[in-house]
Amino acid sequence: MPPRKRRRKVFREPPVSVYKPAGIPARELEEILITVDEFEAIRLSDFKGMNQREASTVMHVSQPTFNRILSSARNKIARGLVEGSVLRIEGGNYVLGDGSGFLKCMSCEARVDPESKSCPKCGATSFRWERFSS
Ligand SMILES: [Zn+2]
């Protein structure tokens, strides 16, 4: 069996899925596809200000993987802005973090809101995902 690619955790999907330069028909524009996990990397790192260790934990990936996702996302967004392309956000390898489990503090086992940067009980910043037991 081929190794299963781990799916990345995404807390919520983007509110808008297509950004298009005004006044130019879409068929004349290049379209750049940004995956939902790339969008999440931007949201956690550049919007919420998490460092890569925190953000990689929230997304349930290694730091090198997170770094690769983030670099790819930044590169695509920069290219879209510079070249005036359509940016479409969809697809990718991810599961929604609010549906399949919850974040647990690795020090005190408290449940942690994926939006918070540290444990509300003990202040630790190391979390892991736990599945809801069924
Ligand atoms: Zn804790």
Side-chain angles (χ1 to χ4, degrees):
M1 258 185 31
R4 246 184 41 176
K5 211 171 154 189
R6 200 157 64 170
R7 294 159 92 198
R8 295 142 185 178
K9 298 284 181 184
V10 168
F11 186 55
R12 67 168 72 94
E13 289 178 302
V16 176
S17 62
V18 179
Y19 291 86
K20 179 188 158 298
I24 306 168
R27 65 176 180 279
E28 292 174 20
L29 295 168
E30 191 203 341
E31 187 173 289
I32 295 174
L33 186 71
I34 296 169
T35 59
V36 174
D37 47 323
E38 287 173 335
F39 172 87
E40 180 73 345
I42 290 281
R43 192 181 72 84
L44 295 176
S45 181
D46 296 333
F47 178 73
K48 294 198 68 79
M50 287 186 184
N51 66 39
Q52 295 209 359
R53 188 176 62 80
E54 295 161 343
S56 65
T57 304
V58 171
M59 286 187 72
H60 204 206
V61 295
S62 67
Q63 273 191 61
T65 299
F66 180 83
N67 186 264
R68 205 164 52 240
I69 299 169
L70 182 63
S71 300
S72 169
R74 284 178 175 163
N75 181 268
K76 288 176 177 178
I77 290 168
R79 194 153 54 87
L81 292 177
V82 170
E83 296 178 345
S85 307
V86 173
L87 295 176
R88 178 181 297 276
I89 304 166
E90 63 180 32
N93 178 35
Y94 70 96
V95 289
L96 288 180
D98 54 354
S100 59
F102 55 94
L103 271 183
K104 201 173 178 182
C105 174
M106 285 175 74
S107 310
C108 75
E109 309 249 298
R111 202 157 146 173
V112 182
D113 183 338
E115 297 285 279
S116 63
K117 292 176 71 173
S118 58
C119 173
K121 268 194 176 163
C122 74
T125 56
S126 296
F127 315 136
R128 66 165 182 267
W129 281 94
E130 292 279 311
R131 293 201 162 275
F132 292 118
S133 47
S134 47

